[in-house]
Amino acid sequence: MTAPPSPAPASGAGPRRILIRLKESAALPSAFGTLLAAVVLFLVVFGLVMVLSASSVESFTDGNGFFGRFGSQGGYAVLGVVLMVIVARLPRRTVQRVAVVVLVLSCVLQILALATPLGVKIGDNTNWIRIGPIAGQPSEGIKLGLVIWLGMMLGRRPEELQDWRTLARRIVPVAGPALLLVVLGGDLGTTVVMAAFTLGALYFAGVRLKHLGVVLGAGAFVAILIALSSATRRGRISAFFGGTSAVNPDVNWQVDNAHYALASGGLWGVGLGNSHAKWSWLPSADTDFIFAVIGEELGLIGACVVLLLFAMLAVLMVRLVRTTPDPVVRITTGTVLVWLIFQAFVNIGVVLGLIPTLGVPLPFISAGGTALIASLVAMGVVLSYTRRPPRSPLDGLDRAHVAAGRAGGDVPPALRRPGRRWPARR
């Protein structure tokens, strides 16, 4: 006796599922996500105000008017916020596919910057590329794509990562060339940040500590070799320990004037827009050393507010990491956390004289279009995890079978929820 044919799905099942997906994508963020987005937007607006103040003099002397750099940064900020909102509403698979494209395209642009006249060399770094009127840093796209790719690869069957061979097969073929391209460009600061969040991704993926120790030791050895391979970098290290740099005397000048700016700010600051350091005394006042201008104009109070905002951002992201059961969400969010907070620590540490000079911007605040857009898109990925909870094992399965099981019918084992006691079949 043949079994009766299974009931055909209703004709409106397809459109109904599409409608459900559209409703999910239009869902409002949770209160947690709203708070996280508010902190990010406040940092962006605060950064625009400080870029206007710190860059006005140098922008005018360059012939772009007092508002030239501010206008450019404002355009990048608007574009970045729009992209953040769009990414926050995209499905995870779409974001992952686009991230792979961004990673590959950014690596190609980095190769063009290194091997063709399109590359722009600033100091010892060749991590800029100019195509017509458009200029940017491909390394920022590499950072963004690598972060999402790490979460995708390490979040898939994380129990297999205890074997170092499996771990190497998943990480080295992509992360290794990406880091190498940035190293060849000579940008030690970006290389250190990328190495840090790669280690962070391994930590949040639950990799064994001894494997992490080996990777950390090898990375530190390579970083020392890179730092000693350039006379400019050796001069920065010498300046950090109180020596002088004959090759790059501006290192001492820059750090000393950053300290003078912080000291003159006192508790309350000299007032917004009244910085003296920005009058050609402090190089990179609107980018790598913008925190010195913040301390001078807004004083210790303003500097502490910036630190508290980054601390709040870290606490919110740590909470998401600790509460989610989804390994992809945990690893991706933790990697973005290490990226942004570690980069902020490096930037502020350089200004305070805690570490040698490394050219990295202060996230969301420093001038720099590609860096700001990459950071905002990364936060859009994190916000998407706060808006949509992790997918249920029943998502995408035929719910007619579930309804039949609740009514006492046969339910395949793959469709049963763990720990659920289904009614006995009548």
Side-chain angles (χ1 to χ4, degrees):
M1 183 175 179
T2 59
S6 57
S11 59
R16 190 179 301 113
R17 289 184 179 181
I18 294 176
L19 181 61
I20 291 174
R21 295 294 183 189
L22 290 175
K23 288 182 178 179
E24 288 179 352
S25 64
L28 294 174
S30 62
F32 176 81
T34 302
L35 179 59
L36 185 60
V39 174
V40 173
L41 292 177
F42 187 88
L43 281 169
V44 172
V45 174
F46 179 81
L48 288 176
V49 174
M50 295 311 305
V51 167
L52 173 60
S53 176
S55 67
S56 57
V57 175
E58 191 171 352
S59 179
F60 179 78
T61 56
D62 289 342
N64 299 319
F66 288 107
F67 301 96
R69 294 191 182 180
F70 168 75
S72 175
Q73 186 71 4
Y76 287 124
V78 171
L79 177 60
V81 171
V82 171
L83 290 177
M84 181 181 71
V85 173
I86 293 175
V87 170
R89 295 178 177 274
L90 288 177
R92 179 188 299 179
R93 289 187 178 180
T94 303
V95 173
Q96 292 173 345
R97 290 170 182 169
V98 173
V100 172
V101 175
V102 170
L103 179 58
V104 173
L105 181 61
S106 299
C107 288
V108 172
L109 292 175
Q110 182 73 3
I111 294 173
L112 292 177
L114 295 173
T116 69
L118 296 175
V120 178
K121 189 171 184 178
I122 301 177
D124 288 341
N125 299 347
T126 315
N127 276 324
W128 287 81
I129 187 171
R130 181 178 295 277
I131 303 177
I134 302 176
Q137 288 181 285
S139 57
E140 294 296 332
I142 294 176
K143 285 160 63 176
L144 176 62
L146 185 59
V147 162
I148 301 175
W149 181 85
L150 286 171
M152 177 175 60
M153 294 302 297
L154 296 176
R156 185 180 61 188
R157 297 189 296 274
E159 66 278 358
E160 298 179 358
L161 299 178
Q162 302 305 314
D163 180 17
W164 69 269
R165 298 178 184 85
T166 303
L167 179 64
R169 284 195 298 267
R170 291 197 189 180
I171 296 299
V172 173
V174 174
L179 282 165
L180 179 61
L181 287 175
V182 180
V183 170
L184 293 177
D187 192 345
L188 182 59
T190 302
T191 303
V192 170
V193 172
M194 291 178 62
F197 71 61
T198 302
L199 286 172
L202 296 176
Y203 172 78
F204 288 109
V207 174
R208 291 181 177 179
L209 292 180
K210 64 178 182 180
H211 295 163
L212 278 177
V214 172
V215 175
L216 180 60
F221 178 73
V222 173
I224 292 174
L225 292 181
I226 296 173
L228 297 178
S229 64
S230 168
T232 302
R233 299 190 191 102
R234 290 196 299 269
R236 291 178 178 179
I237 297 174
S238 175
F240 174 71
F241 288 103
T244 58
S245 173
V247 177
N248 188 14
D250 287 342
V251 173
N252 292 328
W253 172 275
Q254 196 172 29
V255 174
D256 289 345
N257 279 279
H259 293 169
Y260 297 154
L262 291 172
S264 62
L267 181 62
W268 299 103
V270 298
L272 186 63
N274 295 326
S275 169
H276 298 284
K278 68 183 180 182
W279 289 84
S280 302
W281 289 99
L282 180 63
S284 304
D286 59 335
T287 53
D288 299 344
F289 281 79
I290 196 170
F291 188 76
V293 179
I294 294 173
E296 182 183 10
E297 295 189 347
L298 305 180
L300 179 63
I301 301 299
C304 288
V305 168
V306 173
L307 295 177
L308 288 175
L309 287 171
F310 280 108
M312 184 181 299
L313 187 67
V315 169
L316 292 173
M317 296 176 72
V318 167
R319 179 184 173 188
L320 179 59
V321 168
R322 296 188 63 182
T323 56
T324 180
D326 191 329
V328 174
V329 175
R330 182 180 67 251
I331 297 169
T332 306
T333 304
T335 308
V336 175
L337 165 67
V338 175
W339 168 12
L340 298 177
I341 302 305
F342 179 77
Q343 183 168 315
F345 167 78
V346 171
N347 179 278
I348 296 173
V350 167
V351 175
L352 297 179
L354 300 178
I355 57 177
T357 303
L358 291 173
V360 295
L362 187 59
F364 307 115
I365 295 179
S366 292
T370 48
L372 178 60
I373 291 175
S375 301
L376 286 173
V377 172
M379 287 307 306
V381 176
V382 176
L383 288 173
S384 69
Y385 298 145
T386 67
R387 185 179 58 84
R388 288 190 299 271
R391 293 174 60 86
S392 167
L394 295 176
D395 284 352
L397 302 177
D398 191 352
R399 297 182 182 275
H401 290 289
V402 180
R406 288 173 178 166
D410 256 341
V411 179
L415 301 183
R416 298 178 181 174
R417 295 180 182 175
R420 178 73 178 263
R421 294 180 60 86
W422 292 97
R425 183 178 177 182
R426 297 193 185 100

